[in-house]
Amino acid sequence: MLLAGKTAVVYGAGGSLGGAVAAAFAKEGAFVHLTGRNLDSVERTADVIRKSGSRCHTAVVDALDAGAVARHLEETGRVDISFNAVGWEDRQDQPLAEMAPEDFLRPVLRAMETEFLTCTAAARAMMKQRSGVILTLTATPGGIGYPHVGASGRRVARWKA
């Protein structure tokens, strides 16, 4: 049990990636705080974790709300691991040249804002504890560069005439 005695907070725990990471943390012994804007999906993740014999807690936390993130971490008490898996609401399967500005900007702004708010709040808590790990995620297309991923790629892919 690599994470026995540790506390993890997973933002976006109701999604497939956030849920899988939360379950892995729990399997390794962490007490996991599952958060998201939609309690139904977060509770589904909690059901999986509880059925495996692990403990967790659920809460509605909007990672775009600095106050909500800070209040949740205060209630949590300790945070050894912070992981942001908040969905970016990116638009795919559309050429960048045909994309509306709001469809391009939404995932960029959402990713940067939720990363900033969750990371800085966790960092403040971890500095007091003098320990902790903040995990972040980036879009796979950002490192590869392929077409029709718009802002989720953060890089213009090759263009063919």
Side-chain angles (χ1 to χ4, degrees):
M1 296 262 204
L2 291 173
L3 302 177
K6 301 295 182 185
T7 300
V9 177
V10 178
Y11 300 94
S16 58
L17 179 64
V21 169
F25 288 163
K27 182 179 179 182
E28 288 299 326
F31 182 86
V32 185
H33 290 267
L34 309 169
T35 74
R37 291 187 304 170
N38 179 339
L39 191 57
D40 290 339
S41 61
V42 172
E43 286 293 344
R44 283 193 292 277
T45 300
D47 289 343
V48 170
I49 290 171
R50 290 176 182 134
K51 285 178 184 172
S52 74
S54 296
R55 297 179 324 124
C56 62
H57 179 266
T58 61
V60 173
V61 177
D62 182 352
L64 290 167
D65 180 342
V69 172
R71 282 188 300 278
H72 179 259
L73 288 182
E74 286 173 20
E75 293 167 6
T76 299
R78 179 172 182 87
V79 57
D80 298 297
I81 304 164
S82 176
F83 180 68
N84 182 345
V86 171
W88 295 352
E89 297 180 6
D90 53 312
R91 173 112 190 235
Q92 296 187 10
D93 298 325
Q94 182 178 29
L96 185 62
E98 297 172 13
M99 188 174 280
E102 57 272 13
D103 289 335
F104 178 84
L105 290 171
R106 182 178 42 258
V108 173
L109 296 173
R110 188 173 172 83
M112 293 300 101
E113 188 171 2
T114 62
E115 288 293 340
F116 178 79
L117 294 176
T118 61
C119 288
T120 55
R124 285 189 290 275
M126 291 172 181
M127 287 171 59
K128 290 177 188 172
Q129 299 166 185
R130 302 185 55 84
S131 68
V133 175
I134 298 171
L135 301 172
T136 61
L137 183 69
T138 187
T140 301
I144 298 170
Y146 53 85
H148 302 288
V149 294
S152 68
R154 309 281 187 337
R155 176 195 300 195
V156 177
R158 284 178 255 147
W159 178 70
K160 295 180 184 178

